[in-house]
Amino acid sequence: MTKEQNVEVIIQKQLAKLDRGIVATPASMNDLRAFARANGGNMDMLLVHQAMQYGMKIALQNIADDLGIELSK
């Protein structure tokens, strides 16, 4: 396995973990903002967790883009 293939596998595994968590990873920034508006200050820890997961998702996608890796949706 080449280094590029190994990186692709690692990125795919990490993204899959975000989809399987107890807390849903927002699909978009709009989804995260909608949850923030709707929760009215309740469940702030959940909002923080969602924001961290969304940040990780964006970071992994950016790395994949920089490396020219096509991610399956």
Side-chain angles (χ1 to χ4, degrees):
M1 183 179 291
T2 67
K3 286 183 183 182
E4 291 81 11
Q5 290 170 327
N6 193 30
V7 169
E8 183 175 356
V9 168
I10 291 168
I11 290 172
Q12 292 286 6
K13 284 182 181 178
Q14 292 301 314
L15 287 171
K17 284 181 185 179
L18 291 175
D19 290 337
R20 289 191 313 259
I22 294 172
V23 176
T25 301
S28 68
M29 185 59 130
N30 288 336
D31 290 347
L32 184 60
R33 286 184 181 132
F35 181 82
R37 281 191 300 271
N39 83 358
N42 297 317
M43 301 299 293
D44 284 340
M45 288 303 296
L46 181 61
L47 180 60
V48 168
H49 195 80
Q50 283 185 322
M52 290 188 314
Q53 285 181 215
Y54 184 68
M56 177 64 120
K57 176 181 173 181
I58 296 301
L60 289 168
Q61 289 172 339
N62 286 340
I63 291 169
D65 287 346
D66 287 348
L67 295 174
I69 297 170
E70 185 75 25
L71 296 175
S72 59
K73 300 293 177 190

